Amino acid sequence: MGKLTWRIVLVVLVLAGAIYSIFTRPVNLGLDLQGGTQITLQAKSTNEVPRITTEVLQGLEVVIQQRIDGLGVAEALIQRSGEERLFVQLPGVDDPERAIEILGDTAQLDFRQQKIGTVVPRDDFGLPIAGDDPDSIFERVGLTGGQLNNAFPQAPIQAGGSWQVAIEFDNEGATKFSELTRNIAGTGRTIGIFLDETLISAPTVGAEFARLGITGGNAVITGNFDTETATDLAIKLRAGALPVPVEVVENRTVGATLGEKSIRQSLYAGIGGLVLTLTYMLVYYRIPGLMADIALLVYATCTFALFQLLGVTLTLPGIAGFILSIGIAVDANVLIFERTREELKLGKTLYKSVEEGFSRALSSIVDSNVTTLLACGVLFWLGTGLVKGFAVTLGIGILVSFFSAITCTRTFLLMLLTSKSLRRPEIFGVTPELAK
């Protein structure tokens, strides 16, 4: 199989893979396009943490990111705003109150032992109430959420029952939990499970555990949970407690109407620019322009597919970067065709002129792409949010445009030259009298 055939096979396989990806993978849209929730969190100092340092804010950012991951929000944005604030964007989240509760809750979990001779008050529904002074009823045993390895919601065993939260302790926690359950097993006393100093459950332990306690480090938190509340509690427990408390200083809900309008206008702009570009190349460069147009369509398809494969979140600036990269892709073809024309005017054969055109244009294409990629790198490194989106889409577009110009356009032109009827300088707009 010849070199040209291998190139054709490569282009076809890449294009087929890109088309498959486009139709099988979802498009991630940013907050400005699909709407969602935008929250600004203010870190608050405490007696233990009197000053909000960079390290404290980093720890806060990690916990917030873990909780967002638990929510299942794709491509959320977390960035620092000043020295004490975090700016959070949650695309597609239409329940800001739930998001605020999960992100801003400290989620301090504590297991305590009921004291001998005390009674745990309960409400009309039989649920435990710690009272005004829980320390008078429960004593701390040093078993907290800090010793948790995992937490996950668990569906009710019986129909109509409540959801539960299953937890798994590390080795230290498993030992303490075994001691705690052994001490109260069969006594009628309870384990006080506190979340942020609020009693959420007070289970008893059967007498069969009086000798060894509950071993293995596994337990279940009950508390009249439903699916959502059990999931939310598990998320907060897995992520751990916030290093410092936070306050929501701004909460904005961005509607999807603006996003739909922006997408429509952006698509019109992109399609219009693409059509004008394709028309210009076809009119000015004729048959080679047609080959460049086909390569440009391959480029646009492959670039969009890469956005989906890499999980790039499309924002308005990102779409602008994609459209701008189309112009850069055309620029490479223009350089190649102009170099080829120069070679034809020197009297070289068409095949030799095409090869020389690609060879001579290559250095200019590489230089222009590298400088633009450097600019994209600076924007991504120093920029935030939407600026990074612009840099990412433009950078990916530049890399794909290089492949498109060097591989696709070259392959299509060499295919063109296999036809004897098309081996004429006129197809490049060079008349015989201009060729030496």
Side-chain angles (χ1 to χ4, degrees):
M1 186 180 291
K3 186 182 294 186
L4 178 59
T5 306
W6 276 114
R7 289 175 179 171
I8 295 173
V9 171
L10 174 63
V11 172
V12 171
L13 290 177
V14 170
L15 181 59
I19 294 174
Y20 175 80
S21 175
I22 289 174
F23 284 100
T24 57
R25 289 180 175 268
V27 179
N28 295 325
L29 300 179
L31 188 70
D32 57 342
L33 296 182
Q34 68 165 317
T37 299
Q38 183 173 289
I39 302 171
T40 302
L41 300 174
Q42 171 78 48
K44 309 290 288 185
S45 59
T46 63
N47 292 333
E48 294 78 13
V49 186
R51 189 170 67 89
I52 305 300
T53 63
T54 301
E55 291 74 19
V56 171
L57 206 59
Q58 286 175 343
L60 183 62
E61 187 176 354
V62 169
V63 176
I64 294 295
Q65 181 64 64
Q66 290 175 336
R67 294 185 178 184
I68 290 175
D69 293 341
L71 275 173
V73 179
E75 300 302 324
L77 169 68
I78 304 178
Q79 65 185 57
R80 297 173 200 173
S81 177
E83 297 181 353
E84 299 181 351
R85 291 186 177 186
L86 288 179
F87 181 73
V88 183
Q89 287 188 347
L90 305 173
V93 174
D94 53 5
D95 188 357
E97 296 303 321
R98 182 190 176 207
I100 291 172
E101 182 180 352
I102 291 177
L103 299 185
D105 201 333
T106 54
Q108 294 278 5
L109 185 66
D110 191 18
F111 293 80
R112 304 176 190 176
Q113 176 177 290
Q114 183 182 347
K115 296 179 180 180
I116 299 175
T118 61
V119 177
V120 179
R122 296 181 180 269
D123 60 18
D124 296 336
F125 299 97
L127 299 177
I129 303 173
D132 296 332
D133 185 14
D135 288 335
S136 65
I137 302 175
F138 295 95
E139 60 180 330
R140 302 172 190 265
V141 295
L143 181 58
T144 68
Q147 283 108 30
L148 280 182
N149 273 343
N150 196 11
F152 50 91
Q154 196 171 72
I157 300 175
Q158 299 178 347
S162 298
W163 278 69
Q164 303 170 335
V165 179
I167 56 177
E168 298 175 359
F169 292 104
D170 59 16
N171 292 333
E172 180 186 358
T175 301
K176 290 183 178 180
F177 186 69
S178 176
E179 294 174 355
L180 171 61
T181 54
R182 184 179 67 245
N183 291 338
I184 67 171
T187 65
R189 289 183 291 146
T190 62
I191 299 176
I193 303 177
F194 287 79
L195 182 67
D196 295 335
E197 299 299 324
T198 300
L199 182 65
I200 62 173
S201 184
T204 58
V205 180
E208 65 270 22
F209 297 104
R211 190 170 68 90
L212 297 176
I214 299 176
T215 59
N218 297 321
V220 173
I221 301 175
T222 60
N224 198 28
F225 298 112
D226 57 20
T227 307
E228 185 174 293
T229 55
T231 301
D232 291 351
L233 177 57
I235 290 172
K236 290 184 283 188
L237 294 180
R238 281 199 308 269
L242 300 176
V244 291
V246 296
E247 178 185 357
V248 179
V249 296
E250 184 181 22
N251 170 27
R252 296 176 55 192
T253 301
V254 180
T257 303
L258 174 63
E260 293 175 1
K261 181 180 179 181
S262 301
I263 292 175
R264 186 168 58 252
Q265 292 176 340
S266 299
L267 286 176
Y268 291 159
I271 293 173
L274 184 61
V275 169
L276 288 175
T277 302
L278 296 177
T279 302
Y280 170 80
M281 295 297 291
L282 182 61
V283 171
Y284 190 76
Y285 289 106
R286 304 175 188 178
I287 300 298
L290 176 62
M291 300 296 102
D293 288 349
I294 297 174
L296 197 60
L297 293 175
V298 173
Y299 154 80
T301 304
C302 293
T303 302
F304 193 75
L306 268 180
F307 291 163
Q308 293 173 289
L309 287 172
L310 298 177
V312 174
T313 300
L314 284 181
T315 60
L316 281 178
I319 294 176
F322 176 46
I323 295 174
L324 179 59
S325 67
I326 293 176
I328 295 176
V330 171
D331 180 63
N333 288 310
V334 169
L335 286 172
I336 292 168
F337 293 161
E338 289 299 326
R339 295 294 189 189
T340 302
R341 279 184 170 183
E342 293 176 2
E343 298 300 318
L344 284 172
K345 291 178 181 180
L346 294 176
K348 297 181 180 179
T349 64
L350 189 55
Y351 185 86
K352 184 66 174 177
S353 298
V354 169
E355 289 292 346
E356 289 290 335
F358 274 92
S359 178
R360 292 184 58 192
L362 182 61
S363 60
S364 299
I365 295 173
V366 170
D367 289 344
S368 62
N369 285 347
V370 168
T371 53
T372 309
L373 282 174
L374 288 175
C376 290
V378 173
L379 289 175
F380 184 83
W381 183 261
L382 299 179
T384 58
L386 300 178
V387 176
K388 285 189 174 182
F390 173 82
V392 168
T393 54
L394 180 57
I396 292 175
I398 291 171
L399 294 174
V400 179
S401 71
F402 185 79
F403 167 80
S404 173
I406 300 302
T407 302
C408 297
T409 304
R410 186 174 188 176
T411 299
F412 295 151
L413 282 180
L414 293 177
M415 286 175 55
L416 191 69
L417 297 181
T418 59
S419 173
K420 292 183 179 181
S421 61
L422 295 176
R423 294 178 189 170
R424 295 178 292 109
E426 290 88 340
I427 68 172
F428 276 88
V430 177
T431 57
E433 57 270 15
L434 291 177
K436 295 182 180 179

